[in-house]
């Protein structure tokens, strides 16, 4: 299992955009499943945090070799997902 990870996290859905957020979440999971099946990533996990007063309430942890993660974040599909996330999530970001 690769030791390199990409963390994509968020705070919560923007009020009034919860339905769009849920639909995009399903689509993003399907996108990651496709990447895993094709070998572009090794694995991913989805984590939801208990309310704790912070601004990180959930995240995807995506595992792959460094070069594959670089290619992922440089892809037009990734960029599209990040733009869409910014339209319905508070505090989306990745490291």
């Amino acid at each position: 299992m690769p030791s390199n990870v990409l963390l994509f996290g968020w705070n919560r859905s923007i009020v009034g955009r919860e339905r769009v957020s849920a639909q995009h979440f399903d689509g993003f999971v399907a996108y990651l499943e496709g990447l895993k099946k094709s070998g572009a990533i090794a694995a991913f996990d989805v984590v939801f945090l208990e309310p704790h007063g912070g601004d990180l309430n959930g995240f995807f942890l995506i595992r792959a070799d460094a070069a594959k993660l670089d290619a992922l974040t440089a892809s037009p599909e990734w960029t599209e997902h990040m733009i869409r996330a910014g339209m319905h999530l508070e505090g989306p970001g990745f490291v």
Side-chain angles (χ1 to χ4, degrees), residues 20-40:
V20 171
S21 189
Q23 291 169 343
H24 185 218
F25 181 88
D26 291 342
F28 191 66
V29 169
Y31 167 67
L32 293 176
E33 286 287 352
L35 292 174
K36 183 179 170 186
K37 189 177 225 179
S38 73

Side-chain angles (χ1 to χ4, degrees), residues 49-89:
L49 303 175
E50 291 289 328
H52 56 84
D55 60 1
L56 179 65
N57 289 303
F59 60 89
F60 287 92
L61 195 62
I62 304 165
R63 293 182 185 84
D65 295 330
K68 289 182 178 182
L69 291 175
D70 288 342
L72 171 65
T73 60
S75 73
E77 296 84 6
W78 178 264
T79 301
E80 180 181 337
H81 279 292
M82 294 303 103
I83 290 169
R84 288 178 62 196
M87 297 173 78
H88 63 77
L89 291 175

Side-chain angles (χ1 to χ4, degrees), residues 38-50:
S38 73
I41 64 172
F44 70 94
D45 294 303
V46 183
V47 178
F48 296 103
L49 303 175
E50 291 289 328

